[in-house]
Amino acid sequence: MAKITVIGQGECDFDGQFSLLEALDENGFDMPYSCRGGNCGACLVKLVAGDVEEIQSPVYEADKGHILTCSVIPLTDITIELV
Ligand code: FES
């Protein structure tokens, strides 16, 4: 099970949820989002460590080193930071 660390907020486990955003939501993290569909970029965070896999092809292009929490799941333990 992958561990998710949100810098400044805490950590939780990824437990097979649909997306990283859903896992964070379920665990009580106050994450930014809007469309949940990879279109708006509101859920953009910095990927500090670890690997993720895309679960949908986002229209919004994340900058290098950043991920859309609505559009990925963790493959390894990850550390992210709000931007
Ligand atoms: S919530 Fe809109 S791109 Fe993730």
Side-chain angles (χ1 to χ4, degrees):
M1 196 185 307
K3 188 174 77 176
I4 307 164
T5 302
V6 184
I7 291 178
Q9 289 202 37
E11 53 186 56
C12 66
D13 289 326
F14 181 78
D15 199 13
Q17 290 91 346
F18 172 71
S19 65
L20 176 57
L21 176 60
E22 195 176 294
L24 290 163
D25 249 6
E26 268 183 21
N27 284 282
F29 287 88
D30 188 17
M31 303 302 291
Y33 69 89
S34 180
C35 71
R36 289 182 177 264
N39 299 311
C40 71
C43 66
L44 188 79
V45 298
K46 185 174 179 187
L47 179 62
V48 177
D51 288 318
V52 298
E53 176 181 17
E54 279 189 354
I55 48 155
Q56 56 189 356
S57 298
V59 172
Y60 186 91
E61 277 190 37
D63 299 337
K64 196 168 161 31
H66 292 71
I67 54 171
L68 298 169
T69 62
C70 74
S71 300
V72 301
I73 54 172
L75 288 178
T76 63
D77 291 352
I78 63 167
T79 301
I80 60 174
E81 183 174 22
L82 295 183
V83 291

